[in-house]
Amino acid sequence: MDGRDLNDVRLGIVGLGYVGLPLAVEFGRRYPTVGFDINPERIRELRAGRDSTLEVSEQELRAAKRLTYTDDLQDLAGCNTYVVTVPTPIDEHKRPDLTPLESASRAVGKVLKKGDVVIYESTVYPGATEEVCVPILESVSGLAFNEDFFVGYSPERINPGDKVHRLTTIVKVTSGSTPETARFVDTLYASIVEAGTHLASSIRVAEAAKVIENTQRDVNIALINELALIFNRLGIDTLEVLEAAGSKWNFLPFRPGLVGGHCIGVDPYYLTHKAQEIGYHPEVILSGRRINDGMGAYIAEQVVKMMTKRRIHVVDANVLVLGLTFKENCPDLRNTRVVDIIREFEDYHARIDVYDPWVDANEAYEEYGILPVRELREGHYDAIILAVAHRQFVELGAEGIRALGKPHAVLYDVKSILPREAVDARL
């Protein structure tokens, strides 16, 4: 690869979701950039100046003067640097699902030219970029890796709904398939990321760094969740314990809860998949995953016990779940574990209403078969589960939420956002 001048860069961003759009907008302020997505509806809304993920404002979209949007692959043919930002989910057996990544690689391979660079941002296990993606690029394009085209890896660090930690304010890890490519990738990202970059020695190191970021958080949250299970049996309030322990300067401020989303509940399985492939069984990581994956069922079980003690029949009971997204104050439904609570109550044949002012009802139905209600009914519910700490629920307060239930309704606060004395139980 020759020492490419940034003035010659023509970017193609493949995938315009929570990761790709902020990247396309930031690059589009400086470089000719084409944002590509296979969803025509997504392209239409972006061309109209709207972002349904709420990650980018209308003003920010307008500021990207050199950015265009397309769902036509041939519009990428004029680019010389491609950034792939597609999802990397897991399947129903908790195994990495690289289908979107493979499809994106085939698409890029069709327009790849001699001298081009392909940069991947999707979270993968160490080795996936060079073992899975590169062979597809070579096969489809007919070009030779590290001779005709080059590859970089710079893992995304997007935090949906976070207006403080943004693309430009988070240090960006970079890497490349050759020293020259690595320097190019690093310089390219350094031109838009104010916080700076960290150039890794290889693509595999950068891949591993990304996958352990969320694995570390997952294990830490699993520990706190397990402590919550213990303290519940001891009749001790978990939040009070954590606040007391948190008075020490080096105590890590994790909280119990449901672990979902596109990263924490998914990324560890990528690492454990690769570990098992090379003959190592990761005990701590998988143990943490089992604990976190079981929290929805545990919460439902606790609510059912409290209902039973009050002689409230669970079958045909009216249950309200407040919040469906995987985290507060954002519309992101990916891998939300609130669904686990809902499924448990469906098994009891309870009547469940789900209310979330942040959610697109059609998306919730398409993804999970759940149609959120549009309005709340006062005095209607036998049990209320506050599952997500949206600001609307905080503003509603304990009194407002209690008003939605019958006089002896159970109120369970998953996120511990209401006063302890105002709820029947909290995680």
Side-chain angles (χ1 to χ4, degrees):
M1 176 187 177
D2 55 11
R4 178 178 297 164
D5 190 326
L6 290 185
N7 292 324
D8 298 329
V9 168
R10 299 184 303 279
L11 282 154
I13 310 299
V14 180
L16 296 175
Y18 284 86
V19 175
L21 181 62
L23 192 68
V25 166
E26 205 57 46
F27 275 134
R29 295 163 66 97
R30 295 170 176 263
Y31 308 104
T33 304
V34 179
F36 171 81
D37 200 284
I38 59 174
N39 184 353
E41 188 176 328
R42 178 65 165 160
I43 298 301
R44 280 194 293 272
E45 74 168 20
L46 292 174
R47 284 175 175 168
R50 299 190 308 274
D51 170 30
S52 58
T53 70
L54 306 181
E55 289 299 301
V56 179
S57 68
E58 291 183 20
Q59 183 179 1
E60 289 170 324
L61 288 173
R62 287 195 299 270
K65 302 290 187 183
R66 308 185 75 180
L67 171 62
T68 58
Y69 306 100
T70 186
D71 59 354
D72 185 348
L73 184 62
Q74 288 308 309
D75 289 339
L76 290 175
C79 299
N80 55 26
T81 305
Y82 301 91
V83 185
V84 177
T85 64
V86 296
T88 43
I90 52 175
D91 65 19
E92 59 183 3
H93 303 294
K94 312 292 188 185
R95 296 175 304 199
D97 179 6
L98 296 177
T99 305
L101 195 62
E102 293 167 345
S103 298
S105 296
R106 280 192 290 271
V108 172
K110 292 176 182 178
V111 294
L112 198 62
K113 304 174 300 301
K114 206 164 185 177
D116 287 357
V117 177
V118 184
I119 304 168
Y120 289 89
E121 289 215 4
S122 306
T123 303
V124 291
Y125 53 77
T129 299
E130 290 158 299
E131 295 167 8
V132 177
C133 302
V134 166
I136 293 173
L137 293 174
E138 285 189 309
S139 173
V140 175
S141 69
L143 300 174
F145 175 51
N146 279 345
E147 292 180 19
D148 300 322
F149 73 92
F150 307 87
V151 169
Y153 184 78
S154 181
E156 60 88 4
R157 282 177 163 173
I158 294 295
N159 188 25
D162 190 337
K163 300 307 179 185
V164 176
H165 301 98
R166 309 292 301 276
L167 169 65
T168 60
T169 63
I170 304 171
V171 173
K172 200 82 164 70
V173 174
T174 61
S175 64
S177 57
T178 67
E180 294 81 7
T181 305
R183 285 193 292 271
F184 167 70
V185 173
D186 191 66
T187 303
L188 178 64
Y189 279 102
S191 70
I192 64 166
V193 178
E194 298 168 7
T197 59
H198 177 98
L199 179 56
S201 63
S202 69
I203 287 175
R204 285 163 62 88
V205 167
E207 291 168 326
K210 169 56 182 177
V211 81
I212 71 164
E213 289 175 14
N214 292 312
T215 300
Q216 182 188 62
R217 293 179 64 198
D218 191 46
V219 171
N220 275 291
I221 296 170
L223 170 62
I224 302 301
N225 275 337
E226 187 165 52
L227 292 175
L229 302 181
I230 295 169
F231 294 147
N232 175 263
R233 286 164 172 76
L234 292 173
I236 303 172
D237 185 77
T238 302
L239 187 58
E240 282 194 37
V241 174
L242 294 176
E243 287 173 345
S247 63
K248 189 180 181 188
W249 78 92
N250 60 353
F251 186 82
L252 301 177
F254 287 94
R255 292 287 184 268
L258 299 169
V259 182
H262 69 301
C263 284
I264 305 181
V266 174
D267 295 357
Y269 288 119
Y270 274 75
L271 184 57
T272 57
H273 167 81
K274 189 63 177 179
Q276 291 168 329
E277 194 177 76
I278 59 174
Y280 179 80
H281 183 75
E283 297 185 19
V284 172
I285 298 171
L286 287 176
S287 176
R289 280 280 72 237
R290 285 191 293 272
I291 291 170
N292 287 340
D293 279 347
M295 293 308 292
Y298 170 78
I299 291 166
E301 177 190 337
Q302 294 302 109
V303 174
V304 168
K305 283 183 177 179
M306 286 185 285
M307 293 173 70
T308 303
K309 286 179 180 178
R310 295 183 184 184
R311 290 175 163 62
I312 301 172
H313 294 291
V314 181
V315 176
D316 291 331
N318 295 309
V319 177
L320 173 64
V321 176
L322 292 174
L324 182 59
T325 61
F326 89 88
K327 66 181 292 188
E328 65 274 7
N329 304 325
C330 82
D332 197 344
L333 285 171
R334 290 175 295 174
N335 194 38
T336 174
R337 301 284 31 109
V338 177
V339 171
D340 298 341
I341 300 174
I342 296 167
R343 299 296 183 234
E344 288 293 319
F345 275 100
E346 286 175 344
D347 287 344
Y348 281 103
H349 300 288
R351 291 191 289 261
I352 306 148
D353 280 353
V354 179
Y355 177 77
D356 193 317
W358 288 83
V359 163
D360 179 282
N362 292 329
E363 183 184 350
Y365 187 76
E366 289 173 10
E367 189 70 25
Y368 299 108
I370 295 170
L371 192 61
V373 298
R374 297 183 182 276
E375 296 181 359
L376 293 169
R377 293 188 278 182
E378 289 194 4
H380 179 71
Y381 298 100
D382 298 293
I384 302 170
I385 302 169
L386 178 50
V388 185
H390 289 319
R391 64 170 179 263
Q392 289 90 339
F393 303 150
V394 176
E395 292 167 359
L396 193 58
E399 187 176 343
I401 293 172
R402 279 282 185 196
L404 303 171
K406 297 175 183 176
H408 300 293
V410 171
L411 174 55
Y412 192 101
D413 183 4
V414 174
K415 300 297 292 184
S416 296
I417 63 173
L418 300 177
R420 180 187 179 188
E421 64 275 7
V423 300
D424 295 299
R426 60 187 189 184
L427 190 58

